[in-house]
Amino acid sequence: MRIELNGNGGKGELSNVSRKSKRRQKKSSQVQKLYETCKQVFADCGPGIVPSPENIEKFASVLDAMTQADVGLKPNMPFFSSERAPIITYLHLHECEKFSIGIFCLPPTSVIPLHNHPGMTVFSKLLFGTMHIKSYDWSSEVDKNIDRTPRNHPDGTRLAKIKVDSEFTAPCRTSILYPADGGNMHCFTAKTACAVLDVLGPPYSDPDGRHCQYYLEFPFHNSVEGVSVSDEEEEGYAWLKERDKPEDLCVVGVPYIGPKIAKR
């Protein structure tokens, strides 16, 4: 059978197909781009080792450009319903020894309690909705010139300095926390239905000592003898005490059905 080709030997049709294919690839490329950038940014990192400023800026710019559509999410999905609160849904995209990628889907009023990120650099991108974030760093880590932490507090509390205590509404910039500063311990409260894309480098690992520790917080005026700050600074501090995982915290993992990641 002889197939007739047009005057350009069929190159026009092939060219059109190629362009359409590229457009399709481009539409589904943000998650793949995120994954590939993660591999580059965290390649030489590990516990307590922060990516270079250039890599942090590079990675934050990728996350800043991401939207709910890039991961296949819509606010009207069932796990954002107010009837589902306080159940939080977690979508797992990827995890390896260097980094993890996942999305927390929070219905209105749901809370991710105050917890830490030992030895980690964490990027959080609010994809949609409004969320209140409160975060702390240990005073001994960020107040370098002042020893404000009791060495042997009888009930195990430690002094922490507030880093962030504000509401954020998407679209907004990616938030970044570091092993010792930037608000390493934080709490998320959903004011509306919202979704947060989280990248942890490295991820939690109990065998490696990176356990997720939860905390209770107490006002600074419940202080101990010999530890004080000025009246003007008092609201910027709190006492934190380790606690078990809250019994009412319910995070349910479900399969991620958004654009796939080609892992290579």
Side-chain angles (χ1 to χ4, degrees):
M1 182 189 299
R2 184 168 181 264
I3 300 175
E4 293 289 337
L5 299 176
N6 62 17
N8 61 7
K11 291 180 180 177
E13 285 84 349
L14 291 173
S15 176
N16 288 337
V17 170
S18 177
R19 285 196 294 269
K20 289 178 182 177
S21 176
K22 287 180 178 179
R23 285 198 293 270
R24 285 196 296 269
Q25 291 174 11
K26 184 176 181 180
K27 289 179 182 178
S28 62
S29 65
Q30 272 305 106
V31 169
Q32 187 66 36
K33 183 177 181 181
L34 174 68
Y35 170 73
E36 298 293 346
T37 308
C38 276
K39 291 202 301 181
Q40 298 170 15
V41 168
F42 293 108
D44 299 321
C45 296
I49 302 175
V50 177
S52 68
E54 294 77 16
N55 277 338
I56 287 175
E57 183 177 353
K58 176 182 179 180
F59 190 54
S61 68
V62 172
L63 277 172
D64 284 343
M66 294 195 69
T67 68
Q68 64 196 50
D70 293 322
V71 292
L73 289 179
K74 296 180 180 179
N76 62 356
M77 287 179 164
F79 35 72
F80 295 111
S81 170
S82 58
E83 297 179 358
R84 188 174 172 82
I87 299 173
I88 297 166
T89 303
Y90 180 74
L91 308 177
H92 171 81
L93 278 70
H94 174 78
E95 182 170 330
C96 62
E97 65 176 10
K98 290 290 188 179
F99 62 89
S100 66
I101 307 172
I103 302 170
F104 287 98
C105 304
L106 293 86
T109 74
S110 58
V111 177
I112 299 179
L114 187 64
H115 62 284
N116 71 345
H117 305 83
M120 304 177 190
T121 302
V122 180
F123 297 78
S124 298
K125 167 64 176 176
L126 183 62
L127 296 172
F128 69 83
T130 298
M131 171 179 287
H132 182 270
I133 300 176
K134 190 170 188 179
S135 66
Y136 294 90
D137 292 307
W138 294 123
S139 175
S140 57
E141 298 287 347
V142 295
D143 291 335
K144 298 298 184 181
N145 298 322
I146 305 174
D147 182 8
R148 288 175 169 159
T149 304
R151 300 184 186 280
N152 295 294
H153 196 289
D155 64 0
T157 58
R158 289 183 64 185
L159 185 62
K161 187 173 185 178
I162 296 174
K163 176 66 176 181
V164 175
D165 188 7
S166 302
E167 285 190 5
F168 296 84
T169 299
C172 55
R173 298 285 301 274
T174 299
S175 65
I176 309 169
L177 62 84
Y178 304 96
D181 60 8
N184 186 274
M185 298 160 287
H186 65 199
C187 171
F188 290 165
T189 302
K191 295 300 184 180
T192 68
C194 53
V196 183
L197 175 59
D198 250 11
V199 178
L200 281 62
Y204 289 107
S205 173
D206 286 344
D208 296 321
R210 294 191 300 280
H211 168 70
C212 182
Q213 178 62 59
Y214 294 89
Y215 297 92
L216 295 170
E217 54 185 316
F218 303 96
F220 179 75
H221 58 72
N222 292 334
S223 59
V224 297
E225 184 178 353
V227 181
S228 63
V229 298
S230 67
D231 292 342
E232 293 77 14
E233 292 181 297
E234 188 171 303
E235 292 186 357
Y237 291 84
W239 293 106
L240 303 186
K241 183 178 181 180
E242 293 184 1
R243 64 177 297 185
D244 293 333
K245 179 181 177 181
E247 294 182 359
D248 58 351
L249 174 61
C250 183
V251 180
V252 178
V254 302
Y256 166 69
I257 59 173
K260 302 302 180 184
I261 294 174
K263 299 175 183 179
R264 50 183 182 265

